[in-house]
Amino acid sequence: MKEEAAKKAAQLTDQIRETAEHAAQLVKDRTPSPVLDKAAQAAAQVRETTTRAGHLASEKAPGPLLNQAARAATAARANRTTLLTVGAVVVVFALIRRGRGRRH
């Protein structure tokens, strides 16, 4: 059971990493360099945190919870484009809000 959980956590970590890399490339194509530098730092931190969280989850989570997480990951993969679009909109919205906040 623990080995299966570790495998699922590793698979989820890989999938999250791939999604993060794809989203980063989409944003990179349209973003100025200073913003890209900060985004790269944040992405690295997210990857590290996700990896640690995946390992902890696989060690401590009960079986039904891991099954539910696997179903959620499957749904996320099925709706990858939608999730990336929503994520990009949130990033753009945050940048716009931040820019407006500094002007006032």
Side-chain angles (χ1 to χ4, degrees), residues 76-92:
R77 279 192 305 277
N79 297 304
R80 185 175 291 182
T81 303
T82 303
L83 290 173
L84 288 173
T85 302
V86 170
V89 168
V90 168
V91 168
V92 169

Side-chain angles (χ1 to χ4, degrees), residues 4-5 12 16 27 32 34 38 50 60 73-74 79 103:
E4 289 178 27
L12 291 174
I16 291 169
V27 172
K38 287 187 179 187
T50 302
K60 298 185 180 194
T74 301
N79 297 304
R103 287 188 216 157

Side-chain angles (χ1 to χ4, degrees), residues 39-59:
Q41 291 172 352
Q45 185 176 2
V46 167
R47 281 191 297 272
E48 291 171 9
T49 303
T50 302
T51 301
R52 284 194 305 267
H55 289 288
L56 287 174
S58 69
E59 292 173 2

